[in-house]
Amino acid sequence: QVQLVESGGGLVQPGGSLRLSCAASGSIFSINAMGWYRQAPGKQRELVASIGSSGNTNYADSVQGRFTISSDNAKNTVFLQMNSLKPEDTAVYYCNADIRKYSLRSTLYNYWGQGTQVTVSS
């Protein structure tokens, strides 16, 4: 079984910073990519940022230059450093990963974390 566990959400004032973490655990052979999505009330879930196994990154236009995604491959962990936060960044942030398990290495499985709330408000 594979689990993604997020941490680091909370309440922050506009202009502030937060750092989210997501650790993948279980019978993991390899991780192809990890990413962060978010979903605000009444809106669809959207990609915030992603990082591949080679370190290549991708960002939503709305967070480019403010958010930074990074990973610690040895610990199967991905981070999202969020700076200059705005009220419109308020959402539940979900970790996502494409993982190959030891039991079936030829298949890529997609997993989601349980989500962590980020609220940007004065």
Side-chain angles (χ1 to χ4, degrees), residues 28-35 50-58 69-74 76-78 96-100 108:
I28 298 171
F29 175 70
S30 66
I31 298 179
N32 271 32
M34 297 186 79
S50 64
I51 185 166
S53 57
S54 60
N56 52 302
T57 58
N58 181 47
I69 190 169
S70 61
S71 63
D72 183 338
N73 293 337
N76 292 334
T77 300
V78 65
N96 180 268
D98 290 327
I99 292 172
R100 297 185 190 276
L108 205 58

Side-chain angles (χ1 to χ4, degrees), residues 1-2 26-30 99-109 111:
Q1 195 62 284
V2 173
S27 184
I28 298 171
F29 175 70
S30 66
I99 292 172
R100 297 185 190 276
K101 300 191 293 186
Y102 277 105
S103 60
L104 194 59
R105 302 177 190 182
S106 60
T107 300
L108 205 58
Y109 295 90
Y111 291 93

Side-chain angles (χ1 to χ4, degrees), residues 38-47:
R38 66 186 181 187
Q39 187 167 20
K43 294 189 177 181
Q44 288 189 330
R45 191 172 297 189
E46 62 176 358
L47 175 67

